[in-house]
Amino acid sequence: MLFKERKTSLECALLKSLNNRMKLHEKDIQYLRNLEKGDEGERYFDSLTAALTCDCFVLNDLRLSCNNATFQIDALMITGETIYLFEVKNYEGDFYYERDRIFTKNKSEINNALLQVKRCESLFRQLILSLGFNMPVSASVVFVNPEFTLYQAPLSAPFIFPNQLKRYIKDLNAISAKLSGKHRRLAEKLSSLHIEESPFLHLPKYEYDQLRKGIVCDACGSFSCAVKGHAMICEDCGHAESVEAAVLRSVREFRMLFPERKITTNDIFDWCRIVESKKRVSRILAKNFNKFRGGRWSYYE
Ligand SMILES: [Zn+2]
């Protein structure tokens, strides 16, 4: 049973939007690609745990803290007998293992997944003990990409490889121990301790004036959109969307990028660019938001 779901990554959405609207450094673009790839892997693993039939609580994406150290768990599963922690990796290609570390074929070390998962397990054990729960904990790194190969991995490493995943899930489904109120209390406690990280932490600096204005096509991300009657048509891919839906989508993007700014007709008119009149923008805002009077301009919430 899914107890805590994974939110869509706001950080990823922000970077995607910025990538459309300004020139990002190569390192930011690489960071975005890694986020997208990681998200994709986690979603795939979520689809597997969502189909589990054994008695369990699944908590996705937990950020916890113990003894002033913060740690992140991609997926956690509480069963009647054991707590499972999973670090999900969507690496693709050939890698090799040497002295507790993972390297790409051209010898550059990638994010140390093994160290990460060991640290996570140790901090998690301390945390649940401090909360008064004493249960066995098992932590693993799950490699979900079918195109992943790791040479020289020792038998003892807590790795689950793509071609083992099906069998692993089958074994989990065979767990017969039932959950009790104690397990529910633990799941509730862990959910309540989750720390939300600011999505703006690793973003490049940006300002309103720097960003390219206009509505982007929902299907292909192109700026070449034109308003024809009630519809907005993409000139690159032909995708059609109602003007209202497109404006509201742009308002959501504006809010995400500038959470501190108020939504005014002037701003949204400027932000969307392709809608021909302020009146039309104002009508759409009035229909979908509550209007407030403040200072010189009215704003919407
Ligand atoms: Zn398009």
Side-chain angles (χ1 to χ4, degrees):
M1 181 204 141
L2 182 60
F3 200 91
K4 178 188 174 295
E5 66 182 328
R6 189 181 311 283
K7 281 203 205 150
T8 49
S9 164
L10 189 53
E11 188 183 29
C12 196
L14 278 160
L15 258 178
K16 248 195 230 172
S17 168
L18 291 178
N19 193 30
N20 269 338
R21 296 180 184 274
M22 67 187 267
K23 179 126 187 66
L24 291 183
H25 284 291
E26 196 45 51
K27 71 167 182 24
D28 292 322
I29 295 173
Q30 195 48 49
Y31 183 64
L32 171 62
R33 298 284 169 261
N34 289 343
L35 281 180
E36 286 178 322
K37 189 124 185 132
D39 273 7
E40 193 189 302
E42 286 164 1
R43 305 252 160 235
Y44 171 68
F45 189 65
D46 291 353
S47 72
L48 299 180
T49 56
L52 282 169
T53 53
C54 60
D55 204 10
C56 65
F57 291 133
V58 176
L59 289 83
N60 289 324
D61 188 25
L62 276 175
R63 250 177 88 81
L64 300 167
S65 154
C66 181
N67 300 333
N68 294 321
T70 313
F71 59 103
Q72 184 147 8
I73 302 167
D74 290 337
L76 177 145
M77 198 180 121
I78 303 174
T79 71
E81 49 194 32
T82 307
I83 302 175
Y84 296 89
L85 310 183
F86 300 104
E87 172 71 33
V88 181
K89 295 291 180 203
N90 193 10
Y91 299 147
E92 190 176 330
D94 296 330
F95 297 81
Y96 70 94
Y97 180 98
E98 204 172 83
R99 283 173 277 120
D100 284 355
R101 290 146 79 189
I102 297 173
F103 298 88
T104 62
K105 261 178 129 182
N106 57 18
K107 296 191 169 36
S108 62
E109 187 184 1
I110 50 169
N111 186 358
N112 195 327
L114 191 65
L115 192 77
Q116 210 177 333
V117 83
K118 281 184 177 164
R119 172 180 178 271
C120 203
E121 183 178 354
S122 153
L123 288 167
F124 183 77
R125 270 182 216 282
Q126 295 173 49
L127 175 68
I128 58 167
L129 273 179
S130 75
L131 296 172
F133 294 90
N134 192 2
M135 275 182 77
V137 176
S138 160
S140 337
V141 184
V142 193
F143 299 98
V144 291
N145 197 305
E147 298 295 320
F148 173 78
T149 302
L150 182 62
Y151 292 97
Q152 297 165 203
L155 211 55
S156 59
F159 295 152
I160 303 165
F161 294 112
N163 56 356
Q164 298 175 315
L165 257 172
K166 247 192 192 158
R167 232 177 324 137
Y168 187 79
I169 294 288
K170 208 170 148 194
D171 288 348
L172 288 177
N173 274 333
I175 295 172
S176 57
K178 293 284 167 216
L179 293 170
S180 67
K182 172 184 93 172
H183 300 110
R184 177 171 287 278
R185 279 198 300 285
L186 176 59
E188 279 164 358
K189 188 72 200 167
L190 292 174
S191 300
S192 76
L193 290 176
H194 171 64
I195 310 159
E196 209 67 69
E197 188 182 31
S198 163
F200 296 95
L201 224 53
H202 308 288
L203 292 189
K205 294 243 173 302
Y206 61 91
E207 279 175 44
Y208 180 82
D209 292 335
Q210 254 177 292
L211 302 188
R212 183 169 173 186
K213 314 295 185 298
I215 302 183
V216 289
C217 168
D218 200 21
C220 74
S222 162
F223 276 93
S224 308
C225 296
V227 171
K228 293 193 176 84
H230 288 295
M232 188 192 80
I233 316 282
C234 172
E235 285 161 1
D236 283 342
C237 77
H239 178 74
E241 190 180 11
S242 77
V243 173
E244 182 170 336
V247 169
L248 292 177
R249 192 161 52 76
S250 299
V251 171
R252 282 197 295 277
E253 191 183 348
F254 178 87
R255 270 180 148 173
M256 171 181 80
L257 289 163
F258 306 103
E260 73 293 347
R261 284 178 78 139
K262 291 214 184 320
I263 307 290
T264 66
T265 300
N266 279 337
D267 277 356
I268 298 304
F269 177 71
D270 183 57
W271 180 243
C272 293
R273 290 281 157 99
I274 60 164
V275 181
E276 70 295 349
S277 74
K278 281 190 190 173
K279 223 174 176 174
R280 189 166 190 184
V281 170
S282 161
R283 263 205 311 273
I284 294 173
L285 292 177
K287 190 176 154 197
N288 292 281
F289 297 93
N290 294 318
K291 192 173 183 175
F292 295 91
R293 301 233 165 260
R296 278 167 64 204
W297 313 110
S298 301
Y299 61 93
Y300 297 87
E301 264 173 17

